[in-house]
């Protein structure tokens, strides 16, 4: 009897393979191009495997979002080491915007509250770990405390301090930062330099 690819997976390996397959599809086609059937085909398993392991498309996409926040956390960790005040906020925001630009599909999914399970404990923990450095830097510029994982409502002043980072990140995912420079194709280095100028104007 021929051994199928599915037969070669352990349970945890199959879950991971399906998450990786979903990440590749979203990176190439955006979340709009994602289907469970495509994920199963790319992972080399039966069409019913994603539903069996994740319950629904939202279940699988939630795990993709979780891994995306974990990847963001790794990039933000240490980005503001030795810095404080506006300098720390600028450094972290620059990394955040770069992550959004370089991982457009996954970044857009991270904000699609209609497609992921927001009450998933692992996702909530990953979101907090990823966003805490940026929130802490923003809070520091406003004399505010850093939110705990159990926060029920963010201080509006903290939201105001973080909002520019989100705005610039979404401009980056839409290619609008490059569109502000009329010099043909604008590479990543030029976009990074522009973001730095914007952040210094915003937070001197």
């Amino acid at each position: 009897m021929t051994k199928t690819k599915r037969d070669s997976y352990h349970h945890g390996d199959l879950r991971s393979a399906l998450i990786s397959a979903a990440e590749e599809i979203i990176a190439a086609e955006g979340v709009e191009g994602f289907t469970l059937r495509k994920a199963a085909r790319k992972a080399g398993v039966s069409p019913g495997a994603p539903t069996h392991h994740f319950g629904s498309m939202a279940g699988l996409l939630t795990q993709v979002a979780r891994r995306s926040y974990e990847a963001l956390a790794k990039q933000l960790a240490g980005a503001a080491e030795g810095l404080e005040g506006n300098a720390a906020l600028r450094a972290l925001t620059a990394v955040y915007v770069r992550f959004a630009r370089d991982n457009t599909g996954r970044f857009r999914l991270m904000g699609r509250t209609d497609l992921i399970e927001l009450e998933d404990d692992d996702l909530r923990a990953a979101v907090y770990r990823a966003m805490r450095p940026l929130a802490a830097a923003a809070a520091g510029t406003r004399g505010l405390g850093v939110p705990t994982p159990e926060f029920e409502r963010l201080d509006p002043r903290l939201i105001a301090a973080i909002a520019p980072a989100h705005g610039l990140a979404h401009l980056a995912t839409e290619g609008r930062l490059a569109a502000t420079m009329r010099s043909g194709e604008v590479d990543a280095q030029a976009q990074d330099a522009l973001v730095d100028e914007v952040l210094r104007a915003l937070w001197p």
Side-chain angles (χ1 to χ4, degrees):
M1 180 182 295
T2 302
K3 190 174 184 180
T4 66
K5 191 172 182 179
R6 181 184 181 185
D7 293 332
S8 69
Y9 284 121
H10 293 294
H11 179 81
D13 293 338
L14 178 51
R15 282 178 60 87
S16 181
L18 285 165
I19 296 170
S20 296
E23 288 174 335
E24 291 178 24
I25 294 166
I26 291 168
E29 305 179 38
V31 70
E32 297 80 7
F34 175 80
T35 67
L36 291 179
R37 185 171 292 275
K38 285 182 180 179
R41 187 183 309 123
K42 181 170 281 291
V45 298
S46 70
T51 301
H52 174 73
H53 287 275
F54 298 96
S56 64
M57 184 165 78
L60 176 50
L61 291 179
T62 296
Q63 297 311 308
V64 175
R66 173 187 59 79
R67 289 215 317 203
S68 299
Y69 275 107
E70 289 171 351
L72 173 61
K74 289 179 180 179
Q75 293 201 17
L76 289 175
E81 187 173 354
L83 301 175
E84 58 185 22
N86 285 352
L89 188 53
R90 288 196 307 266
L92 288 159
T93 298
V95 173
Y96 184 70
V97 173
R98 192 178 307 123
F99 178 88
R101 185 195 67 214
D102 295 343
N103 302 275
T104 297
R106 292 167 66 190
F107 183 81
R108 286 175 174 165
L109 172 65
M110 291 158 70
R112 288 293 301 270
T113 59
D114 57 323
L115 296 179
I116 58 179
E117 298 169 347
L118 296 178
E119 297 307 312
D120 181 86
D121 289 340
D122 290 338
L123 174 64
R124 289 170 67 90
V127 172
Y128 182 80
R129 284 194 298 269
M131 298 307 297
R132 189 186 186 285
L134 187 58
T141 66
R142 301 295 179 103
L144 303 172
V146 181
T148 66
E150 296 78 26
F151 75 87
E152 294 187 5
R153 182 176 183 270
L154 288 177
D155 190 306
R157 293 170 295 174
L158 180 58
I159 297 173
I162 294 176
H166 291 298
L168 284 169
H170 283 284
L171 287 174
T173 64
E174 295 167 5
R176 293 181 180 271
L177 287 177
T180 65
M181 295 179 277
R182 296 183 178 276
S183 55
E185 185 174 347
V186 180
D187 62 17
Q189 185 175 1
Q191 291 183 56
D192 288 343
L194 173 62
V195 169
D196 181 65
E197 290 182 44
V198 171
L199 294 179
R200 288 182 182 281
L202 185 62
W203 299 310

